[in-house]
Amino acid sequence: MNKYNEVSALLERLCSAKGVSGAENRAAEVAAELLEKYMPVKIDPLGSVTGTMGEGNIHILLDAHLDQIGLVVTAVDEDGFLKVAKCGGADIRVLAAAEVTVHGKEDIFGVITSTPPHLSKPEDSSKAKDFDEIAVDIGMKREDALKIVSPGDRITFNGSFSRLLGNRAASPSIDDRAGVAAILRCLEFLKNKKLNCKLSVLFSVQEETGGSGAQTGAFSACADEAIAVDVSFAAAPGISSEKYASLGGGTMIGYAPSLDYEMSRCLSEIAEKENIPNQPEVMGGKTGTNCDEIQVSGKGVKTALLSIPLRNMHTAVEVCDLEDIENTARLMAEYILERSAANA
Amino acid sequence: MLETIKELCAISGISGRENSVRDYIIKKIEGYAEYSIDPLGNLIVFKKGKNPAKNKVMLDAHMDEVGMIITAITSDGFLRFAKVGGIDSRVMLGRTVKVGEKGVSGVIGIKPVHLVEKGQEADIPKPDELYIDIGAKSKEEAAEYVRLGDAAWFDSDFVEFGDGFIKAKALDDRAGCAILIELIRSELEYDTWFSFSVQEEIGTRGAMASAFTIAPDYAIVVETTTAADISGVKDEKRVCICGDGGAVSFMDRSTIYNRELFDKAFEVAKEQDILCQPKTLVAGGNDAGAIHKSRGGVKTLTVSVPCRYLHSPGCVIKYSDAAQSLKLIGAMAEEFAKW
């Protein structure tokens, strides 16, 4: 029907597999199955999905993180409500009455408690409640809850993958399943191409809690160059279009002191040459992405960052434009082909 | 009744746009009673009982739900809206919604917490800063799908969970509508009048007209009300408790209820072994506010299904409370008819 159907289906499948930081197994299973079409796959000691293919004088690593933000159960209270803390950078402003899934011995439905306007003062509605004032309602008594739920269980925010107008989509966990999807689409573009380089893929765990997966995965890969694919901020009401990216405006090519300037330049030049929509994203120091860990792993790795514009980051309604994912994939593929040819 | 509640909650019907809800109710009661639609859109129903009633009894439930109405489209294709009914902005942020006659999918956006200034991470945007993103790239693209004045409503499914609980949008007051439908479809002892009312959420507009038209001697308002029986809330602050049956009001922000009727409800509940509880906080208001002041005054009772997270996309009730409320309301209607 439309040329974005494949990436849409891929992203939907990736987003439907849950995986909060440190408990990425289900997301990892799906990602591993999808990656296996292109290369042999391993799961590393921390749980990251890794794969390597080809041989050559240069070794390029592609990274995207598997984990999504969520909550973690800290206790079951006397009435059977679950007390929770954040796991990754959950936004407290979107918690009231949010629907969640508690990943206990089985997946169970829950609603985060909130107070209706009838019982609160008008001024209360200008401040979000913090974790000490909320709990997850699973509609069970304490003794029944304890049979299914234990402290440490992860909780994800419910929300289905929905298509908006044009080629836009909304879902939880587009951060960073969009990056995983971009790498898989890149491999699809490269499928029948002869490569003179070694290519590794890292779908890393625990980015949202500090980047342990990227740090260890990049060490094991020991690549010469790396490209990390993550999401970054797109303009929306209250978010300046001068400072932030345009949704659907193309892949964001990162420029930062910690990123390899030649790689960034090379990506921009290829994008211009191949007419791939792109926009620069300039940062003044580190990037706040896996690049920060990958760059300093082992003896050091030249690192570049490609970002997919995203709205409402860290909510259950993250919005992206599928065209941006596809363009990120194309640019990565063209970059790999060029580096492969140059090092033949 | 569970299936009826499920189907009713799936229908969209913000205040002033109750048509689809009304159509559904008519389909359910066709053949069981006589009905008419008044100028405001209230569905007024007369159900013949086995006996004529000594007193004219009216049962009321409102058809409308809280939601949004589109007020503007921005130059870059986002939709601005006004809240319809009392909704706390905190339950709107990061939610999926449906918009307009085409039911276009949208989301209520929020600035990522990463971009919020330090110390302001808990600050909720002002109501006029809220917007819906339907994915449109321009005002023109959005205008192909949405017109100003279109309704928007929460996109929330029906879920059964835990120990007999239900989650859905619009349980306030489709649970009440379902109870009335159930009564209309059953055999009643006495002639009874019903009002499926419009526009409760913006100030009980519909019930003002329907109560005038029906001119009852007694009224029972069938509602949902705020259950605060949640973590960290104790004793009377819980207002009412899921699982303890229908909540009977002695006073709220719009009505001081007739004490005799309030007492009678507990007496009848005790006799007939029906679970019910007092609503332990003077808060909220409902169609009783309009009905008890109608014409020369109407003795009014309110029985509500306790509902957690009222006026949010994720309202929660315990089904057994709806079942117990149905019994109590049926019994009270009979009492009042012959009182």
Side-chain angles (χ1 to χ4, degrees):
Chain A
M1 188 173 85
N2 123 354
K3 65 176 180 167
Y4 298 103
N5 282 355
E6 271 178 79
V7 64
S8 180
L10 182 62
L11 183 61
E12 179 167 10
R13 180 145 182 238
L14 287 164
C15 288
S16 68
K18 304 302 172 203
V20 177
S21 310
E24 295 90 349
N25 346 25
R26 282 195 245 177
E29 257 172 55
V30 170
E33 195 187 317
L34 292 163
L35 183 60
E36 225 154 31
K37 288 183 202 156
Y38 307 102
M39 56 181 74
V41 169
K42 283 185 192 157
I43 306 290
D44 82 4
L46 265 58
S48 297
V49 176
T50 67
T52 296
M53 63 188 236
E55 283 299 333
N57 295 326
I58 184 167
H59 180 190
I60 303 173
L61 171 69
L62 306 179
D63 164 88
H65 70 87
L66 264 183
D67 59 319
Q68 67 193 93
I69 58 120
L71 306 175
V72 58
V73 177
T74 55
V76 180
D77 85 0
E78 54 184 341
D79 298 311
F81 288 82
L82 313 181
K83 295 303 286 182
V84 294
K86 55 172 95 172
C87 188
D91 184 342
I92 59 169
R93 298 169 302 166
V94 299
L95 298 180
E99 292 164 34
V100 298
T101 300
V102 183
H103 304 284
K105 288 198 180 70
E106 54 189 85
D107 281 356
I108 52 173
F109 177 85
V111 182
I112 297 180
T113 60
S114 80
T115 307
H118 320 63
L119 303 180
S120 53
K121 298 189 200 87
E123 60 269 27
D124 292 348
S125 67
S126 62
K127 274 273 188 244
K129 288 184 178 174
D130 212 337
F131 285 96
D132 56 344
E133 293 176 285
I134 57 145
V136 174
D137 177 358
I138 55 169
M140 288 185 198
K141 293 192 176 71
R142 180 179 156 86
E143 58 265 33
D144 296 327
L146 286 171
K147 286 177 198 153
I148 303 172
V149 186
S150 326
D153 287 346
R154 301 302 200 282
I155 294 174
T156 48
F157 294 97
N158 291 0
S160 52
F161 181 89
S162 53
R163 286 294 295 269
L164 305 180
L165 297 186
N167 291 309
R168 295 173 169 189
S171 174
S173 72
I174 290 180
D175 175 5
D176 183 30
R177 304 293 157 71
V180 174
I183 290 174
L184 291 165
R185 291 295 293 159
C186 165
L187 296 174
E188 184 66 26
F189 291 142
L190 294 173
K191 200 164 59 175
N192 299 313
K193 302 281 199 299
K194 168 133 182 49
L195 291 184
N196 294 308
C197 65
K198 186 173 172 184
L199 185 62
S200 291
V201 170
L202 172 62
F203 293 144
S204 46
V205 297
Q206 299 183 36
E207 189 270 349
E208 299 290 2
T209 49
S212 322
Q215 189 180 329
T216 50
F219 176 87
S220 299
C222 197
D224 302 308
E225 292 186 355
I227 301 176
V229 188
D230 210 328
V231 293
S232 191
F233 310 110
I239 305 163
S240 154
S241 57
E242 282 170 23
K243 271 169 83 178
Y244 297 101
S246 150
L247 192 75
T251 185
M252 299 161 77
I253 301 173
Y255 283 86
S258 61
L259 297 173
D260 185 77
Y261 184 62
E262 276 179 39
M263 280 183 81
S264 300
R265 269 280 156 246
C266 182
L267 284 161
S268 292
E269 280 161 23
I270 292 170
E272 292 307 316
K273 196 172 72 191
E274 301 294 334
N275 279 319
I276 300 169
N278 69 94
Q279 41 196 336
E281 180 186 24
V282 183
M283 293 149 282
K286 293 192 286 180
T287 63
T289 69
N290 275 343
C291 289
D292 300 347
E293 279 68 40
I294 296 169
Q295 184 204 6
V296 293
S297 74
K299 64 181 192 294
V301 183
K302 288 178 192 289
T303 304
L305 172 63
L306 294 178
S307 297
I308 296 156
L310 187 77
R311 288 180 184 150
N312 314 320
M313 195 184 290
H314 288 192
T315 72
V317 296
E318 295 181 334
V319 171
C320 72
D321 195 314
L322 300 168
E323 295 179 27
D324 291 327
I325 302 179
E326 202 74 346
N327 285 323
T328 304
R330 274 179 60 209
L331 179 56
M332 248 185 314
E334 292 297 342
Y335 178 84
I336 291 162
L337 287 172
E338 183 152 322
R339 296 297 288 150
S340 159
N343 287 280
Chain B
M1 184 162 69
L2 185 67
E3 200 55 28
T4 307
I5 296 175
K6 179 178 179 177
E7 288 171 4
L8 276 166
C9 289
I11 302 168
S12 70
I14 68 160
S15 310
R17 307 292 159 80
E18 298 89 352
N19 321 35
S20 304
V21 181
R22 191 174 55 230
D23 291 347
Y24 172 89
I25 296 170
I26 289 172
K27 228 183 288 165
K28 294 293 277 192
I29 63 166
E30 195 93 66
Y32 292 96
E34 297 163 28
Y35 64 87
S36 63
I37 299 167
D38 81 2
L40 297 192
N42 295 308
L43 175 63
I44 294 175
V45 180
F46 174 70
K47 164 88 178 174
K48 192 124 194 71
K50 284 186 235 164
N51 307 293
K54 187 173 147 211
N55 305 306
K56 197 173 193 183
V57 179
M58 160 180 162
L59 274 56
D60 167 276
H62 67 89
M63 296 188 285
D64 58 321
E65 68 188 282
V66 297
M68 295 134 274
I69 187 165
I70 306 303
T71 54
I73 304 176
T74 68
S75 58
D76 38 5
F78 296 96
L79 314 180
R80 297 285 185 188
F81 60 85
K83 295 175 188 177
V84 175
I87 313 177
D88 189 318
S89 297
R90 289 176 291 185
V91 303
M92 308 183 93
L93 300 168
R95 295 302 141 80
T96 51
V97 299
K98 296 276 187 188
V99 187
E101 282 163 22
K102 293 180 179 149
V104 183
S105 292
V107 306
I108 300 179
I110 181 171
K111 181 190 273 195
V113 66
H114 319 64
L115 304 182
V116 172
E117 274 181 51
K118 229 181 151 50
Q120 295 178 6
E121 294 89 345
D123 292 1
I124 300 295
K126 295 191 180 71
D128 63 359
E129 292 170 343
L130 302 179
Y131 61 91
I132 296 170
D133 178 359
I134 55 170
K137 288 182 174 159
S138 64
K139 188 171 191 165
E140 293 68 34
E141 190 185 4
E144 285 174 39
Y145 297 87
V146 180
R147 291 182 300 171
L148 300 192
D150 274 359
W153 58 96
F154 293 123
D155 180 18
S156 171
D157 55 357
F158 180 93
V159 179
E160 291 177 67
F161 72 106
D163 181 20
F165 285 87
I166 296 167
K167 186 282 306 181
K169 73 164 178 69
L171 279 166
D172 174 10
D173 185 28
R174 306 292 159 73
C177 292
I179 289 171
L180 263 52
I181 291 170
E182 203 69 18
L183 287 169
I184 294 168
R185 289 167 64 97
S186 67
E187 210 167 279
L188 296 183
E189 205 59 38
Y190 299 101
D191 293 353
T192 311
W193 291 80
F194 299 83
S195 171
F196 293 95
S197 307
V198 297
Q199 300 179 32
E200 190 270 348
E201 298 293 1
I202 57 159
T204 65
R205 316 295 299 168
M208 291 184 197
S210 66
F212 175 89
T213 301
I214 295 174
D217 299 307
Y218 291 89
I220 305 175
V221 172
V222 183
E223 259 285 14
T224 52
T225 197
T226 52
D229 58 333
I230 59 173
S231 183
V233 181
K234 298 283 166 237
D235 306 323
E236 81 286 352
K237 293 259 162 48
R238 300 195 139 194
V239 189
C240 57
I241 293 164
C242 291
D244 283 3
V248 185
S249 306
F250 51 80
M251 180 172 165
D252 57 36
R253 304 287 275 275
S254 65
T255 310
I256 296 177
Y257 293 89
N258 179 288
R259 186 74 202 194
E260 268 184 298
L261 269 56
F262 176 83
D263 289 341
K264 189 76 181 171
F266 285 92
E267 190 186 309
V268 167
K270 198 172 172 197
E271 274 167 24
Q272 302 194 17
D273 222 5
I274 302 169
L275 270 179
C276 75
Q277 57 185 324
K279 178 178 170 181
T280 60
L281 195 80
V282 177
N286 58 45
D287 278 341
I291 297 167
H292 84 282
K293 291 183 287 194
S294 183
R295 291 184 181 246
V298 180
K299 289 183 175 175
T300 303
L301 177 78
T302 286
V303 178
S304 303
V305 178
C307 181
R308 295 175 183 161
Y309 328 124
L310 205 70
H311 291 197
S312 85
C315 299
V316 169
I317 65 167
K318 193 161 189 175
Y319 179 70
S320 62
D321 291 328
Q324 291 294 313
S325 298
L326 169 66
K327 281 190 194 170
L328 181 60
I329 290 153
M332 295 316 294
E334 275 185 28
E335 283 298 323
F336 297 155
K338 66 187 182 194
W339 214 358

